[in-house]
Amino acid sequence: MLLDDQESQLVLVDYQARLMPAIFEADLVMANAMRLAQAAHWMEVPTYGTEQNPDKLGQNQAELRALCRRTIPKMSFSACPDGLSELLRPAARAPAGNARSLPKHLQKAVPQEPTRQSIVIAGCEAHICLLQTALDLLEEEYSVWVVTDACGSRTERNRDAAFDRLAGAGAELVTTEMVLFEWLRTAEADPFKEIQALVK
């Protein structure tokens, strides 16, 4: 099964100023997060960021924040209890006209925006906040795609243990380039040249 840009949402977890210097291969992890965010922006994939205890750990990098529709501050390690779950689900539209005055059985169903069920997720630390957020999203029956080369922990061992656990729980493990070229599908897609330049 390939990722579809029309079915995807991107979640970028905790790329924070005071956390990133401690992350293994931080420069590569950050560069790939920026590639994902920029490509998502060009392809109109909704993108959300999270920040763990930002008063202590600082904010996400300004360029990354600018590419997110919203950045959620959180104290829970999983972002789901602190508002991510609500952001990923579309809001129901209010009924129009006088339908609300009718008995419930005569009211027309309010059309709901389709939910984008594929959550592409990356972030830090892989074995804590990323892991707990991804497991919660799997529990909510989303299809979860973990971008391994845009994830980091302070140690390789913790990062790799997170990937093992996530794969066992049903998440798909992918790389940045897999995501970008599956979103594109064809060299004729509008942002192909720009996205190709991101990975050169």
Side-chain angles (χ1 to χ4, degrees):
M1 186 174 83
L2 297 174
L3 269 170
D4 184 332
D5 64 307
Q6 299 298 308
E7 294 291 320
S8 297
Q9 300 184 75
L10 176 62
V11 176
L12 299 170
V13 177
D14 304 355
Y15 293 93
Q16 292 167 262
R18 293 185 204 122
L19 177 60
M20 292 311 293
I23 297 298
F24 177 73
E25 296 182 335
D27 290 345
L28 175 64
V29 167
M30 192 71 230
N32 284 325
M34 285 300 303
R35 287 182 182 105
L36 287 167
Q38 186 61 68
H41 177 71
W42 286 329
M43 301 198 71
E44 298 181 1
V45 172
T47 301
Y48 303 100
T50 72
E51 293 169 344
Q52 176 68 27
N53 193 3
D55 289 343
K56 295 270 197 257
L57 295 175
Q59 293 186 328
N60 289 346
Q61 185 173 315
E63 294 87 350
L64 193 70
R65 264 182 146 254
L67 292 167
C68 294
R69 288 188 177 185
R70 185 153 162 217
T71 298
I72 307 164
K74 63 187 180 69
M75 293 301 288
S76 301
F77 298 123
S78 169
C80 292
D82 287 356
L84 180 63
S85 295
E86 289 73 28
L87 280 182
L88 297 176
R89 277 192 213 94
R93 284 188 244 161
N98 66 357
R100 285 174 290 180
S101 63
L102 293 172
K104 281 215 184 285
H105 70 281
L106 295 176
Q107 292 179 20
K108 289 183 183 175
V110 178
Q112 178 111 6
E113 293 291 325
T115 299
R116 290 172 174 249
Q117 282 297 122
S118 295
I119 308 301
V120 178
I121 187 168
C124 302
E125 287 198 58
H127 65 296
I128 304 173
C129 294
L130 174 94
L131 174 81
Q132 292 186 31
T133 301
L135 290 175
D136 276 353
L137 292 169
L138 287 165
E139 189 71 26
E140 293 179 23
E141 300 187 347
Y142 285 102
S143 175
V144 175
W145 305 70
V146 178
V147 190
T148 56
D149 60 353
C151 293
S153 291
R154 285 162 292 160
T155 68
E156 276 184 278
R157 182 171 294 186
N158 277 322
R159 181 199 63 193
D160 294 347
F163 296 156
D164 289 345
R165 189 165 169 202
L166 286 163
E172 294 284 341
L173 303 187
V174 293
T175 66
T176 299
E177 289 194 26
M178 285 180 188
V179 172
L180 303 188
F181 288 96
E182 287 178 33
W183 278 348
L184 280 171
R185 294 290 176 96
T186 172
E188 295 175 322
D190 280 341
F192 172 72
K193 287 181 182 173
E194 291 90 341
I195 289 176
Q196 187 180 38
L198 281 179
V199 299
K200 281 188 173 178

